[in-house]
Amino acid sequence: GMVSNWTKIPPPLFKKVVIVLIDALRDDFVFGSKGKQFMPYTTQVVERGTSYSFIAEAKPPTVTMPRVKALMTGSIPGFIDVIVNLNSPALLDDNLIWQAKTAGKRIIFYGDDTWVKLFPKHFVEYDGTTSFFVSDFTEVDDNVTRHLDRVLKREDWDLLILHYLGLDHIGHMTGPNSPLVGPKLREMDNVLKKIHISLLSKEEASLPNLLVVCGDHGMSETGSHGGSSEGEAHTPLLFISSAFEKRSGPVTQPKLVQQTDLASTLAVGLGLPISRNNVGNLILPVVGSKTMREQLRFVHLNGFQLSRLLQENTPAYEKDPGYEHFKIAEKSHGNWIKLYLEGNNSEILLNLGKKVLKQYLEALKILSSSLSKQVAQYDMYSMMVGTVIIMEVLLLLLLSFPKALSSRAEFEVPLSPPLFSLLFYLMCLMLCAVHVIVCTSAESLCYFCSMSWLTAVGVMMLISALMCGILSAIAKIFENSRLPLKNPVVSSSRWSEINVLILTGTIGHVLSLGASSFIEEEHQTWYFLINTLCLALCQELCRNNFLLKEYDPQHGTTVKQNFDSIREASECKNIDIPAGGNSKLGKASSSAEFIQGSDKWISLASPWIILICCRLLRSLNQTGVQWAHRPDFGHWLTSSEHKSELSFLAAVSLLMIFFLVQRRCSLVSKIAMALGLLGVYSYRAAIGNVVFPWQHDTKDISKGITEARFVYVFVLGIVFTGTKDLLKSQVISADSSVKSTGLWEVYSGLVLLAALLFRPHNLPVLVFCLLIQTMMTKYIWRPLKFDAAQITIMHYWFGQAFFYFQGNSNGIATVDVSAGFVGLESYVEIPAIFLTAFATYAGPLLWAIHLLCYLSSEVNRDSAAVGHGCFCYALMRSIPVAIYIVLVTGLRYHLFIWSVFSPKLLYEGVHVFITAAICLFFTAMDQNHSHKVQD
């Protein structure tokens, strides 16, 4: 006989709520030994106070903006948010902040300006701080704390949000075991103490206040985040209020909850509707002090919201086990209400209530799990259009392979005839019709359909043109195959072991991308390939030095002549550039007359020396997932007790870099390089990574801005000198040595930039990179006379291996964000992105530029060598990317799609942009050759 109130929102449980979000707060920083040592007040409240503590699990990507979204909406953000994290747009999804503002709550915010971008015009008062300037540990937090005393005295607010960034910045710069972490945790403890005492002193009898302490994500053992390791995903979640019972008894391990559970819990606590797309569960202990009827009301609201979301996303929702459980619990809830309204207050009612509560919680758990798996709504139409274009481009590259590697190095795409063919127009009309049908019948939002019609027609024309081009290229190949070959484009000589290895290695790597374990441990694939390559090169060198008694037509000249040309070259001004003039084929020589002296034995030993270098580099940085936690030489060096050893290694590495690079530089560039490398050491000493021999204390640590900018001046100077020589060679084109010197100086400038951005323990990676390049140039590639395609693929393989030698992986957590802020006083977006990308991809970049230097310096080579190199490099990058895009599309519902496959796709995407820039540089440097071919 009573009116139902189920459509009404329950009243709020708390008057004021303060959310303190400490960026990169790991669970062990509060619940572990560090918490007991540096956060005594918080530890006391957790163990003996009126609080509930949990470990909140964050889903990847564990970066700030997606985590803030998850905390406030209760939904799981997409992986594209890793990129959007750099410049967050306004959040349009239903969220707690919008609901609070709509309900008339007054919200104040201080901290990371990501919140201001996500929730514009939602705060009555705010003060945002830039989150990306990671070398700032103190000011970024002082800007938040300075408002506290004034705000806590006021009564004109309902929700206060504080986002502290200092701990995250310390993690990025120095790691979780840094001596700076302790003082920062103590500072946070004092802040929490101040807020808690203030909230207790202002409480009224009617409604208590609530303090929520959480982290958006944790940090890995290197201080980064973005992946799915326990250190990155597990954060503390504390609810502190006088409404809770005082803790007593032994201290227990906090229970694991999902980070998305906070949104629904706070919504109930503030008397707000639960966000529409929330997939989290109500954390029951927070409302545990309320009556059974109220508790059942709260879990029913949460269950109703989750079942509605399931109905919207799943056609066969009635068969979902979570939905079935919810309906059973709802029926039991109805029976309980009947008994309650009859005035039955016996123990039977209480036990029945507990049973219904248990049924609801089970239903919530299953519904939440089911929704979390289905939350990704893929825009399949847009994905298919993109995949088709990519596969068409790859097919064109493969069809152009024979002509591109011919003596003229032509890359011809026959587009003009197809553009005027009937097939082209028919395909355009057909694709436009398909587009109209898909866009008018699509139920969900489609990115491609939201584009203007002009853009959409342009894309359709591109797909049609590429398809017609492919058909035309295939027709030409069939036409040419019928004609007798007067001048065969490709030599019909047998395949060498190197060619077989290159083909099988490339195919094997591409196939391995379909397995999550192979992506997590991709570095093992590349280490295996370069080790096998070294053994194959060793066999080739032995054959040429000991088994070949006569001139071998496969290699084009005798090995003796090859080494003679190297000796002649070493007498020139530029040591590694062969002397001009055409070398004639000599008479057949016996194996005894082949390479005499030390050159022969150094050549034979070089593959084994390279193998030793690679093995040492593997010990420097543990990467991947399975063994990333194991201690490595890099961790040993970066510990505070071994600063003197790190300083010595850094100094020796910088000296070796100078000796390996300066050989082919002009005098001015040599001086600039020496001063630049001295500046690199000074920068690292200024920020406290290394010490000078006369330096005894590290109290005067600075940001090293002056020292870093000092190095930037020399980097720009060296690159400018090289660019001037390149422009001179393009205009005059009389002396190829000018071009080679210019390219080497550009390369030297990039090496100096890499030395500045690399962490000190990674400088040996740069040394071994230069050493291996020097040895392979002098003792392997030139004597064995490999063609441009083989040398390009070897460069590509070593570039990929050095990407992982740096300590990189296919997880976001290994990106060294601090490299983007070297020498910057504040966050400047474009330089920060450029420096971070360069530091991350330094290995592949340096090997690609070295390839250009090598092919350009080889005077005796075919003039089309640079063109061949450019084409092969583009093809080697295109094949795995195109196949991987198809694989990821097929595996979009895989269990590890967000934690493994998506980060890899992001890395591949950035690598493609970098490869495009490299290929443009190759093409610019190949202009002289193209003019000669046309002449």
Side-chain angles (χ1 to χ4, degrees):
M2 293 178 71
V3 179
S4 171
N5 68 342
W6 82 277
T7 53
K8 293 178 183 175
I9 300 163
L13 308 179
F14 305 101
K15 187 185 179 189
K16 290 182 185 293
V17 175
V18 179
I19 301 172
V20 179
L21 194 156
I22 302 170
D23 212 292
L25 185 69
R26 287 198 335 190
D27 60 332
D28 60 331
F29 285 175
V30 175
F31 304 129
S33 57
K34 278 190 173 75
K36 287 183 172 63
Q37 186 180 354
F38 301 113
M39 302 187 79
Y41 184 80
T42 308
T43 304
Q44 183 192 342
V45 171
V46 165
E47 293 179 357
R48 295 285 175 263
T50 54
S51 68
Y52 288 108
S53 48
F54 305 93
I55 293 173
E57 184 182 26
K59 299 291 183 191
T62 46
V63 292
T64 296
M65 196 271 278
R67 294 304 96 223
V68 171
K69 270 191 181 182
L71 286 165
M72 292 298 107
T73 63
S75 61
I76 300 170
F79 210 88
I80 193 67
D81 287 322
V82 172
I83 302 167
V84 180
N85 186 53
L86 295 168
N87 189 17
S88 314
L91 180 60
L92 301 176
D93 292 356
D94 185 12
N95 60 80
L96 186 79
I97 302 293
W98 182 84
Q99 291 285 4
K101 183 177 182 287
T102 306
K105 305 275 185 192
R106 294 156 299 178
I107 314 165
I108 294 177
F109 171 77
Y110 304 118
D112 184 352
D113 62 0
T114 301
W115 289 76
V116 181
K117 293 173 186 173
L118 283 172
F119 310 107
K121 300 177 183 175
H122 285 65
F123 306 119
V124 293
E125 187 180 312
Y126 64 87
D127 184 10
T129 54
T130 304
S131 57
F132 294 107
F133 190 48
V134 295
S135 53
D136 176 14
F137 307 150
T138 51
E139 288 174 28
V140 76
D141 286 347
D142 291 344
N143 281 337
V144 178
T145 308
R146 68 193 173 99
H147 298 285
L148 266 184
D149 290 329
R150 179 175 51 83
V151 170
L152 290 172
K153 287 174 186 174
R154 285 158 46 186
E155 293 291 336
D156 60 344
W157 57 271
D158 302 295
L159 179 60
L160 173 64
I161 303 169
L162 310 170
H163 188 148
Y164 284 94
L165 288 161
L167 185 65
D168 179 61
H169 292 185
I170 288 169
H172 280 299
M173 293 299 287
T174 58
N177 301 313
S178 162
L180 297 170
V181 169
K184 180 55 69 177
L185 290 176
R186 192 175 284 113
E187 180 192 333
M188 294 297 101
D189 191 51
N190 291 331
V191 167
L192 294 174
K193 183 179 180 180
K194 181 186 285 188
I195 295 167
H196 188 214
I197 291 169
S198 174
L199 289 177
L200 288 173
S201 67
K202 292 202 163 190
E203 272 192 1
E204 297 171 4
S206 56
L207 281 178
N209 298 324
L210 174 67
L211 170 60
V212 179
V213 183
C214 60
D216 53 348
H217 52 75
M219 64 173 80
S220 66
E221 285 304 310
T222 57
S224 295
H225 54 88
S228 55
S229 69
E230 197 171 289
E232 295 162 85
H234 285 186
T235 63
L237 177 59
L238 311 179
F239 295 91
I240 304 166
S241 173
S242 60
F244 309 144
E245 289 181 10
K246 204 164 189 178
R247 301 291 290 272
S248 60
V251 179
T252 55
Q253 180 68 17
K255 287 183 181 177
L256 189 71
V257 296
Q258 294 301 309
Q259 197 179 54
T260 48
D261 296 345
L262 181 65
S264 52
T265 307
L266 283 179
V268 168
L270 287 164
L272 303 171
I274 297 172
S275 302
R276 180 190 179 90
N277 296 319
N278 166 70
V279 296
N281 294 342
L282 176 69
I283 301 171
L284 196 64
V286 177
V287 297
S289 60
K290 297 296 171 183
T291 64
M292 181 58 72
R293 188 180 185 186
E294 286 175 302
Q295 288 185 51
L296 289 172
R297 174 93 174 88
F298 297 146
V299 289
H300 177 257
L301 276 172
N302 194 187
F304 182 77
Q305 175 266 322
L306 289 173
S307 63
R308 282 287 295 272
L309 187 62
L310 186 75
Q311 288 175 45
E312 290 171 10
N313 290 282
T314 312
Y317 66 89
E318 290 175 348
K319 293 178 183 177
D320 187 272
Y323 187 80
E324 289 173 354
H325 275 72
F326 174 69
K327 284 298 170 187
I328 292 166
E330 203 173 38
K331 197 173 180 181
S332 302
H333 189 186
N335 294 332
W336 186 90
I337 290 284
K338 281 178 186 175
L339 282 171
Y340 177 80
L341 292 175
E342 287 169 6
N344 190 334
N345 291 321
S346 65
E347 199 173 323
I348 298 167
L349 187 69
L350 182 65
N351 290 335
L352 182 61
K354 286 179 179 177
K355 185 185 173 183
V356 176
L357 201 60
K358 195 175 179 183
Q359 286 177 333
Y360 267 132
L361 292 174
E362 186 65 27
L364 291 179
K365 191 177 178 182
I366 299 168
L367 279 168
S368 182
S369 175
S370 180
L371 283 163
S372 297
K373 289 171 187 171
Q374 298 174 18
V375 76
Q377 294 182 352
Y378 295 102
D379 181 2
M380 280 308 298
Y381 179 51
S382 302
M383 288 167 72
M384 290 305 295
V385 170
T387 306
V388 165
I389 294 170
I390 287 163
M391 294 310 292
E392 284 181 332
V393 171
L394 177 63
L395 200 53
L396 268 177
L397 279 170
L398 291 170
L399 290 170
S400 306
F401 190 78
K403 273 207 165 187
L405 294 186
S406 67
S407 58
R408 292 173 67 86
E410 292 175 335
F411 177 59
E412 187 181 297
V413 180
L415 278 181
S416 51
L419 285 176
F420 300 101
S421 67
L422 181 63
L423 179 65
F424 170 72
Y425 295 109
L426 284 173
M427 282 194 71
C428 277
L429 284 170
M430 187 186 73
L431 290 171
C432 286
V434 170
H435 183 68
V436 171
I437 293 164
V438 171
C439 292
T440 51
S441 60
E443 292 178 2
S444 57
L445 185 68
C446 171
Y447 175 73
F448 189 39
C449 292
S450 64
M451 287 181 170
S452 67
W453 274 101
L454 197 64
T455 310
V457 170
V459 172
M460 298 306 170
M461 288 177 71
L462 173 65
I463 293 171
S464 305
L466 288 170
M467 183 54 71
C468 292
I470 289 165
L471 295 172
S472 178
I474 293 168
K476 261 191 177 180
I477 289 168
F478 277 112
E479 200 177 298
N480 293 336
S481 65
R482 291 174 188 166
L483 300 171
L485 291 174
K486 294 178 181 177
N487 296 309
V489 173
V490 182
S491 170
S492 59
S493 61
R494 68 180 181 84
W495 276 47
S496 67
E497 288 91 340
I498 297 289
N499 289 335
V500 173
L501 172 62
I502 284 169
L503 182 66
T504 53
T506 303
I507 293 170
H509 169 250
V510 169
L511 292 176
S512 74
L513 296 176
S516 60
S517 299
F518 275 96
I519 292 172
E520 287 178 340
E521 308 299 323
E522 192 185 353
H523 59 286
Q524 303 284 11
T525 305
W526 290 112
Y527 296 166
F528 172 76
L529 288 176
I530 60 167
N531 289 348
T532 312
L533 178 63
C534 287
L535 294 174
L537 291 172
C538 184
Q539 181 198 9
E540 199 79 9
L541 285 165
C542 289
R543 180 190 292 141
N544 278 276
N545 280 295
F546 299 119
L547 299 180
L548 294 182
K549 297 195 180 288
E550 296 194 53
Y551 162 69
D552 183 357
Q554 184 187 346
H555 294 290
T557 183
T558 60
V559 180
K560 180 178 184 297
Q561 282 181 311
N562 297 338
F563 270 98
D564 286 344
S565 71
I566 294 168
R567 274 197 207 93
E568 287 169 25
S570 65
E571 292 164 15
C572 297
K573 183 182 176 184
N574 295 319
I575 291 172
D576 277 351
I577 300 170
N582 298 319
S583 62
K584 303 285 183 184
L585 295 178
K587 293 179 181 178
S589 305
S590 67
S591 59
E593 290 175 328
F594 283 2
I595 317 153
Q596 301 296 324
S598 60
D599 278 346
K600 172 182 176 179
W601 299 109
I602 295 172
S603 175
L604 288 168
S606 56
W608 299 101
I609 295 168
I610 292 165
L611 278 171
I612 292 166
C613 291
C614 292
R615 185 65 194 85
L616 290 171
L617 287 171
R618 286 180 69 171
S619 304
L620 187 64
N621 292 304
Q622 286 284 4
T623 186
V625 174
Q626 300 296 327
W627 296 279
H629 62 280
R630 291 190 180 179
D632 51 41
F633 190 50
H635 277 106
W636 184 85
L637 284 169
T638 50
S639 61
S640 53
E641 313 91 74
H642 303 117
K643 192 174 275 191
S644 54
E645 289 90 339
L646 179 63
S647 303
F648 177 74
L649 182 68
V652 171
S653 298
L654 291 170
L655 280 170
M656 288 187 72
I657 289 167
F658 176 73
F659 286 119
L660 287 166
V661 169
Q662 57 83 33
R663 297 165 300 126
R664 287 167 58 179
C665 293
S666 62
L667 181 62
V668 174
S669 293
K670 283 181 185 179
I671 295 166
M673 177 62 73
L675 291 171
L677 291 170
L678 184 64
V680 169
Y681 193 90
S682 302
Y683 167 72
R684 289 295 165 186
I687 64 171
N689 293 146
V690 298
V691 290
F692 283 109
W694 57 85
Q695 199 175 350
H696 297 295
D697 59 355
T698 54
K699 286 179 183 176
D700 53 342
I701 291 175
S702 71
K703 293 177 185 175
I705 290 168
T706 307
E707 292 84 350
R709 289 178 178 177
F710 176 79
V711 179
Y712 284 138
V713 169
F714 291 113
V715 170
L716 291 171
I718 294 168
V719 171
F720 177 76
T721 308
T723 308
K724 184 188 71 177
D725 288 341
L726 288 176
L727 290 171
K728 193 190 295 182
S729 72
Q730 293 283 19
V731 175
I732 301 166
S733 70
D735 188 4
S736 62
S737 65
V738 175
K739 182 179 179 180
S740 298
T741 306
L743 279 171
W744 187 260
E745 289 192 336
V746 170
Y747 176 72
S748 305
L750 295 178
V751 168
L752 179 57
L753 180 59
L756 174 65
L757 300 180
F758 275 22
R759 302 225 178 188
H761 75 276
N762 258 351
L763 286 172
V765 176
L766 205 51
V767 173
F768 282 127
C769 175
L770 295 167
L771 185 64
I772 291 169
Q773 286 172 352
T774 305
M775 292 191 73
M776 293 195 83
T777 300
K778 199 166 184 178
Y779 300 110
I780 296 176
W781 290 326
R782 281 183 181 152
L784 293 178
K785 283 290 176 185
F786 287 118
D787 61 42
Q790 290 171 320
I791 287 169
T792 301
I793 294 166
M794 289 183 209
H795 271 86
Y796 176 78
W797 281 17
F798 271 96
Q800 290 297 103
F802 270 85
F803 174 80
Y804 295 104
F805 284 143
Q806 288 174 233
N808 290 319
S809 71
N810 286 325
I812 304 296
T814 50
V815 176
D816 184 10
V817 181
S818 63
F821 303 92
V822 173
L824 299 182
E825 270 182 324
S826 60
Y827 174 64
V828 187
E829 192 169 343
I830 293 171
I833 291 170
F834 169 76
L835 294 172
T836 305
F838 180 83
T840 305
Y841 291 93
L845 254 170
L846 291 177
W847 277 90
I849 303 299
H850 183 270
L851 169 67
L852 182 57
C853 292
Y854 175 76
L855 293 177
S856 300
S857 68
E858 291 286 273
V859 182
N860 298 329
R861 275 193 183 275
D862 179 10
S863 62
V866 174
H868 291 169
C870 179
F871 180 81
C872 285
Y873 198 87
L875 191 64
M876 286 300 293
R877 193 84 280 280
S878 303
I879 293 171
V881 170
I883 302 299
Y884 186 66
I885 285 168
V886 174
L887 288 170
V888 167
T889 306
L891 296 167
R892 62 190 179 278
Y893 293 112
H894 193 282
L895 182 64
F896 300 127
I897 187 66
W898 299 119
S899 57
V900 178
F901 292 101
S902 294
K904 169 68 177 169
L905 188 63
L906 184 61
Y907 273 108
E908 292 295 319
V910 177
H911 202 167
V912 165
F913 275 110
I914 290 168
T915 304
I918 290 166
C919 290
L920 282 172
F921 190 44
F922 267 74
T923 309
M925 292 302 100
D926 198 30
Q927 289 301 308
N928 281 350
H929 295 317
S930 63
H931 291 320
K932 285 176 188 175
V933 169
Q934 285 166 9
D935 295 343

